[in-house]
Amino acid sequence: MAKVSIEGLKKSYGAVDVIRGVDVEIEHGEFVILVGPSGCGKSTMLRMVAGLEDITSGTIAIGDRVVNDVAPKDRDIAMVFQNYALYPQMTVAQNMGFALEMAGWKKPAIEAKVQQAAAMLGLEPLLGRKPAHLSGGQRQRVAMGRAIVRDPAVFLFDEPLSNLDAKLRVQMRAEIKALHNRLGSTIIYVTHDQVEAMTMADRIVVLNGGHVEQIGSPLELYDHPANLFVASFLGSPGMNFFDVTAVPGGVRLADGTVLPVPARYGPVEEGCSLKLGLRPDSLVLDDQGPIAGRVKAVEPTGLDTYVALEVAGQEAMIVVKERVTAPPGSSLRLSADSQRAHLFNQDGVAL
């Protein structure tokens, strides 16, 4: 395993800037996830670390070595792709051992490495099969096994679970995290799925428009988002936002409702316009609550119930444990956990 240092990284295609001066330090053995919407530059950044994309400017170092001009095969990395990239004519064992064969390893050493990785991933019964006779989850395990046998300094994962069904994605998330714990390896993982990022990462790098919005642990970003983008991107369902005005003792919604805000914000200039953010589980049903909501839809999931509402002229979503049978157009009263409220200025920056 190795540290990865990215400094001033830029990538342009002609006049189009895709990566705009990114700085990230990834420690030995750390599991870091690059997350963001489609087109934010996360896969391009991963491919630059791998050497599959040229760097416009900046530096990438793996360990103590700057690798800007080092060929991909010489960077001591292994990459797991979204589409598995397995050789269809080869068996599982041959796919897993092919890179070692190309590197000149002897057959007994290759077989030992393949057996070790197969045992780790539960692939031993499948070593004689070809990819066409494997499920999607099994193919992804083979792709991971092919990376593991190389003992790379850094593992790179490019949206490896996006082709799997929802149940299998949950299972594979746990397996990849368990694999990281066993190997203690440095992993850089790209996804657009914020649930993957929240559940797997040691730290998350939130990208948007080619630049970094915030870096931190999953709960740090969830509890203390730096701006509106991070607050809205992390969390499912997303955070609710309301246009409010600062008044003595709190903030006032558009319908005149006044809500307190956490003491950590201190005094806010009276009359200034702000955005109030409340997570869906920070709003609760309360017959005596100060907030009026009009029901738009009720979505039972079994474990929880999602209720879409209109509050003070703006859309909101709450998540509750109880069963809700209120029809569309009906009224509900709510209260808010003010200690979990977030305030943002008109530029979208957290106060």
Side-chain angles (χ1 to χ4, degrees):
M1 60 184 179
K3 179 178 180 179
V4 178
S5 300
I6 299 170
E7 296 182 5
L9 190 65
K10 294 184 180 179
K11 176 66 178 179
S12 301
Y13 296 101
V16 179
D17 297 327
V18 179
I19 302 292
R20 306 179 183 188
V22 168
D23 298 296
V24 181
E25 290 284 330
I26 299 168
E27 299 299 328
H28 299 276
E30 194 173 22
F31 194 138
V32 169
I33 292 187
L34 311 180
V35 69
S38 297
C40 72
K42 55 190 183 295
S43 288
T44 300
M45 186 169 155
L46 191 77
R47 290 174 64 83
M48 285 194 284
V49 175
L52 303 177
E53 292 278 357
D54 292 332
I55 296 169
T56 301
S57 64
T59 61
I60 297 174
I62 298 176
D64 297 325
R65 181 175 61 149
V66 174
V67 297
N68 288 29
D69 300 316
V70 176
K73 66 183 179 63
D74 298 323
R75 293 194 179 197
D76 198 12
I77 55 97
M79 193 161 181
V80 179
F81 295 93
Q82 176 180 346
N83 62 357
Y84 321 131
L86 302 178
Y87 297 107
Q89 74 277 17
M90 294 183 182
T91 64
V92 167
Q94 290 169 336
N95 265 286
M96 291 172 63
F98 184 68
L100 302 182
E101 184 180 339
M102 291 296 97
W105 284 47
K106 301 296 184 182
K107 188 174 180 180
I110 294 174
E111 290 177 350
K113 270 287 188 183
V114 169
Q115 285 290 340
Q116 182 183 19
M120 192 180 299
L121 295 166
L123 291 172
E124 294 141 299
L126 308 176
L127 288 174
R129 293 191 191 179
K130 292 185 177 179
H133 300 110
L134 303 176
S135 68
Q138 290 168 339
R139 291 179 193 177
Q140 192 56 273
R141 286 193 187 91
V142 175
M144 290 164 56
R146 182 177 54 191
I148 290 168
V149 297
R150 296 175 58 189
D151 287 330
V154 180
F155 286 90
L156 307 178
F157 287 81
D158 189 7
E159 304 210 40
L161 309 185
S162 59
N163 289 336
L164 305 179
D165 62 52
K167 183 177 180 179
L168 195 50
R169 280 201 303 273
V170 174
Q171 179 184 337
M172 289 300 296
R173 285 204 309 259
E175 290 189 11
I176 292 173
K177 188 63 178 176
L179 178 67
H180 173 251
N181 291 336
R182 286 198 297 270
L183 297 177
S185 47
T186 303
I187 293 179
I188 308 175
Y189 185 110
V190 161
T191 183
H192 65 277
D193 185 336
Q194 53 88 21
V195 174
E196 280 183 34
M198 290 291 295
T199 56
M200 297 170 68
D202 294 326
R203 282 193 304 149
I204 297 172
V205 179
V206 182
L207 289 167
N208 181 33
H211 68 270
V212 174
E213 296 281 357
Q214 191 174 359
I215 301 174
S217 70
L219 290 181
E220 180 184 348
L221 269 56
Y222 186 84
D223 292 334
H224 305 288
N227 53 45
L228 280 173
F229 179 83
V230 177
S232 62
F233 192 81
L234 292 179
S236 181
M239 186 180 287
N240 300 303
F241 298 105
F242 304 96
D243 294 318
V244 296
T245 302
V247 297
V251 293
R252 184 179 63 237
L253 300 177
D255 64 359
T257 303
V258 175
L259 299 175
V261 294
R264 68 179 184 272
Y265 287 112
V268 180
E269 182 183 352
E270 186 177 346
C272 69
S273 297
L274 303 169
K275 285 278 189 182
L276 171 68
L278 289 166
R279 296 282 181 195
D281 59 342
S282 297
L283 287 163
V284 297
L285 297 175
D286 180 356
D287 291 339
Q288 305 302 315
I291 304 170
R294 184 174 64 84
V295 176
K296 299 184 70 176
V298 175
E299 303 173 358
T301 68
L303 180 63
D304 300 311
T305 302
Y306 294 4
V307 184
L309 301 155
E310 182 181 301
V311 174
Q314 295 176 274
E315 292 187 358
M317 178 75 75
I318 66 171
V319 179
V320 296
K321 294 298 181 184
E322 57 261 48
R323 303 295 170 91
V324 179
T325 57
S330 61
S331 297
L332 292 174
R333 304 297 299 187
L334 312 168
S335 60
D337 182 350
S338 62
Q339 293 307 307
R340 296 178 61 201
H342 301 266
L343 289 177
F344 306 88
N345 65 22
Q346 286 300 296
D347 294 325
V349 178
L351 298 187

